[in-house]
Amino acid sequence: MGQQKLQGIRGMNDILPQNSGLWAALEKELRQWLVEYGYLEIRTPIVEDTALFVRSIGEVTDIVEKEMYSFEDRLNHDSLTLRPEGTASCVRSVIEHNLLYNGAQKLWYLGPMFRHERPQKGRYRQFHQCGVEALGFTGPDTDAELIIMTHRLWQRLGLTHVNLEINSIGSLETRHAYRAQLIDYFSQHHEVLDEDSKRRLHTNPLRILDSKNPDLLELIQEAPKLLDVLDEYSRNHFTRLRELLDSAGISYIINPRLVRGLDYYNATVFEWTTTLLGAQSTICGGGRYDRLVEQLGGKPTPACGFAMGIERLLVLIEEEGNLVSIPTEPQVYIIHQGTGTLEAAFKIAETLRDYQIRVLVYSGEGGFKNQMKRADQSQAHFALIIGENELSSGQFALKPLRGQGAQQLLSQSQLIDFFNEK
Ligand code: HAM
C-alpha cells in the first residue's frame, strides 16, 4: 500500500516554474524602481516576538484578534509570531540598530507575510508584500512622493485600471474625541448594529466605518465624519498633500470611510484599488504613522509608508500589464552521440555559458531521436548536434526548433557570435 500523499497548507501557495519567471521579472522591476527613488533594502526575520505586532498593529484589530500565526517556542517558552506585515519589524530593526542616528531612512522590503484569513482569489494565508517605509520625514511632501512613486510604478507596468483613495484620520487626540462622538452616534442606533460592530462599539468604533455589511451602509454614511473635525496639523497636511497630488496630475477620490485595518496610522491614509480583481481589490495600502517609533521604544520620529500585495499585482499584470517573464528556456540544447562527444558537449556548453548563453546538455543514454524529442520538450530555441563527424571537423549542426530558418553548420566561435548577435 502506498503512503498517503502530503499536501501544502491551505492558503499557502507553491510558485511553480511556469510562474516564477514572471515573479523574477517583477522583483527585478521593483528593485530598479526602488533604487531610482533612493530606497535601501532591509531584510528582517520572518518570526518576531508576538508583543511587537500586538503593540504596533493594535490589540483590537482583525489581524491581532484572529489572523496571527502565533506559537510558543517549546524550547524556551517565547511567544512568537509569523509576521503578518512588514512595518512593525522594520521599525523594530531601525530602533534596535540605531539607524535613525544617521538621519532619516528610506527603506524597502519584499517577502512573505502570514495571516490566517479565509483563502479566496487574491487572499492567501502566505502572501508577499513589497513595502516601503520613510522614517524621519514630517512633511506632506513625503506622503505625496510615496503616492507619486506608486503611480509611476503602475505606469511602468502598464496598469491603467487603478484608482487612488485618500483620507486623513487625524491625530491620535482628534481620533480620541471623534471616537467618543462615534460611540455616541452608534449607541443611539444600537439595535441596527451587527454582532461584530456591537463588539467593536466600545473597543474600536472607527472600524465599524470599515464594515462591509450592506445593512449598515446607510447608518455609516450618516455617521459624523472625521474629516469635518480634523486637528489643524492634519488639516494643513492633508490640504498640502492634495495640492501636491493635483500638481503631479494624479487623480484621487477622498474616501472619508477609509480608516485602514491597522491602528498605527495618523493623518494621511491611502489605498490603490482596482476593478479587475473582484472582492480583493486593494493592491496597495499605506499611510502616516508618526507615533509608532516612539511607541516601540525609539525617539519620536515621524514616518510613513505603504505595502503592496505581490500576488494581487501579478494578477493585474496578467490581465493588463506589459511585464514579460524573465526568459528561462534554454537557447541551445546539446545533443551528443558517439565516443568523446559527451566530453566535447560539456566543454562547448561551458564556453557558451561564458557568454551568458543558456545551455542544456542532454543527460542519459538515449539515441538521436529520443534526444531530439527532449530538446523539443525543453522549449529550447536550437538543438546543437555533436556526433563523431562533427567532432573531427569542428563544425556543428545548429538546428532551429521553433521555425527560425534553416539548419546551419558552425564552428565554436561562429556559434558564440551567432548567439551574441541575437
Ligand atoms: P495592509 O493593507 O494590511 O497594510 O496590506 C498591504 C497590502 O498587502 C494589501 O493592500 C494587499 O494588497 C496585500 N495583502 C494583505 N493581506 C493579504 C492577503 N491575505 N493575501 C494577499 N494579499 C494581501 C500593511 O500591511 C501595512 N504594513 C502597509 C504599510 C506600510 N503602512 C505603512 N507602511
Side-chain angles (χ1 to χ4, degrees):
M1 220 174 62
Q3 295 277 333
Q4 201 190 346
K5 262 194 260 164
L6 291 171
Q7 296 201 321
I9 311 293
R10 196 163 115 82
M12 303 202 180
N13 300 319
D14 297 312
I15 299 161
L16 298 175
Q18 65 260 33
N19 297 324
S20 57
L22 196 61
W23 275 76
L26 179 58
E27 283 161 9
K28 193 170 164 211
E29 187 69 25
L30 289 171
R31 277 170 197 280
Q32 180 57 32
W33 163 69
L34 288 156
V35 289
E36 284 174 18
Y37 283 86
Y39 281 80
L40 305 177
E41 186 180 9
I42 183 164
R43 300 189 191 199
T44 60
I46 284 176
V47 180
E48 297 268 0
D49 198 333
T50 301
L52 172 67
F53 301 116
V54 178
R55 267 167 63 182
S56 52
I57 298 169
E59 222 154 335
V60 196
T61 55
D62 281 351
I63 296 180
V64 171
E65 276 184 346
K66 46 189 185 199
E67 294 170 2
M68 293 208 301
Y69 282 92
S70 299
F71 56 97
E72 185 187 274
D73 182 336
R74 273 191 299 124
L75 302 179
N76 59 9
H77 307 295
D78 285 349
S79 172
L80 305 178
T81 293
L82 300 185
R83 61 181 186 194
E85 59 108 49
T87 310
S89 314
C90 182
V91 170
R92 194 261 317 132
S93 177
V94 162
I95 298 170
E96 188 169 332
H97 301 286
N98 256 321
L99 297 189
L100 290 162
Y101 183 77
N102 302 319
Q105 295 285 320
K106 293 189 165 189
L107 304 170
W108 69 273
Y109 48 85
L110 193 156
M113 308 289 162
F114 303 83
R115 296 183 193 177
H116 195 109
E117 296 191 78
R118 206 161 45 77
Q120 54 172 252
K121 187 175 176 232
R123 189 166 74 194
Y124 309 104
R125 291 181 173 172
Q126 173 173 329
F127 60 98
H128 295 73
Q129 275 186 351
C130 174
V132 168
E133 314 292 353
L135 299 126
F137 300 92
T138 326
D141 52 336
T142 305
D143 312 36
E145 196 189 56
L146 288 176
I147 291 174
I148 290 169
M149 81 189 262
T150 44
H151 179 256
R152 169 82 171 207
L153 180 67
W154 315 143
Q155 281 181 332
R156 282 168 81 135
L157 297 172
L159 306 180
T160 53
H161 285 76
V162 281
N163 304 305
L164 174 63
E165 297 182 12
I166 60 172
N167 189 21
S168 175
I169 58 169
S171 67
L172 288 184
E173 292 74 20
T174 314
R175 269 216 312 291
H176 214 69
Y178 175 65
R179 187 174 174 273
Q181 235 181 322
L182 268 190
I183 293 178
D184 211 39
Y185 171 79
F186 284 122
S187 300
Q188 285 167 27
H189 301 87
H190 198 261
E191 68 295 344
V192 191
L193 297 180
D194 57 16
E195 281 314 305
D196 248 4
S197 309
K198 278 185 187 152
R199 204 167 40 80
R200 293 215 158 102
L201 183 56
H202 290 280
T203 49
N204 201 349
L206 265 80
R207 293 286 290 153
I208 302 179
L209 301 176
D210 214 19
S211 166
K212 305 278 182 292
N213 183 350
D215 298 340
L216 296 183
L217 209 65
E218 210 184 307
L219 187 66
I220 290 170
Q221 240 143 24
E222 297 300 314
K225 294 194 175 36
L226 186 51
L227 271 181
D228 297 335
V229 292
L230 275 191
D231 51 283
E232 199 183 341
Y233 164 82
S234 301
R235 198 169 43 243
N236 293 340
H237 205 276
F238 198 51
T239 307
R240 185 69 184 132
L241 169 64
R242 291 182 53 192
E243 282 168 8
L244 290 170
L245 292 180
D246 291 339
S247 101
I250 295 178
S251 43
Y252 53 84
I253 61 161
I254 297 174
N255 176 0
R257 293 213 309 279
L258 181 67
V259 290
R260 310 262 311 128
L262 307 99
D263 276 358
Y264 47 62
Y265 294 111
N266 67 284
T268 312
V269 289
F270 66 92
E271 281 186 358
W272 287 95
T273 59
T274 174
T275 46
L276 297 182
L277 284 186
Q280 301 308 313
S281 59
T282 308
I283 52 170
C284 174
R288 185 157 274 285
Y289 51 96
D290 293 329
R291 294 283 182 85
L292 185 60
V293 179
E294 192 181 357
Q295 243 173 31
L296 294 179
K299 289 212 184 84
T301 308
C304 62
F306 62 79
M308 60 187 84
I310 300 293
E311 284 81 357
R312 293 185 192 175
L313 197 52
L314 281 169
V315 176
L316 205 54
I317 287 169
E318 278 170 349
E319 291 269 337
E320 64 160 0
N322 57 16
L323 188 70
V324 283
S325 188
I326 299 254
T328 47
E329 75 288 353
Q331 290 161 282
V332 194
Y333 192 104
I334 304 184
I335 286 169
H336 49 88
Q337 208 165 31
T339 312
T341 58
L342 174 62
E343 288 82 347
F346 274 163
K347 277 196 195 125
I348 292 178
E350 290 306 323
T351 308
L352 291 173
R353 289 178 188 128
D354 284 343
Y355 296 87
Q356 273 89 49
I357 298 163
R358 302 187 300 279
V359 191
L360 273 191
V361 177
Y362 175 79
S363 160
E365 303 288 330
F368 181 78
K369 232 175 120 185
N370 184 17
Q371 295 197 35
M372 274 307 284
K373 204 168 129 203
R374 290 276 200 87
D376 194 49
Q377 282 167 348
S378 77
Q379 304 298 320
H381 304 172
F382 292 90
L384 181 70
I385 298 155
I386 308 181
E388 287 172 17
N389 288 341
E390 284 81 0
L391 253 194
S392 52
S393 70
Q395 295 280 315
F396 307 99
L398 187 69
K399 184 176 162 48
L401 296 174
R402 327 252 142 230
Q404 299 147 330
Q407 175 166 322
Q408 34 186 330
L409 273 181
L410 299 173
S411 70
Q412 184 171 302
S413 64
Q414 284 171 327
L415 260 178
I416 292 165
D417 291 345
F418 177 84
F419 282 105
N420 275 338
E421 279 159 23
K422 276 201 157 293

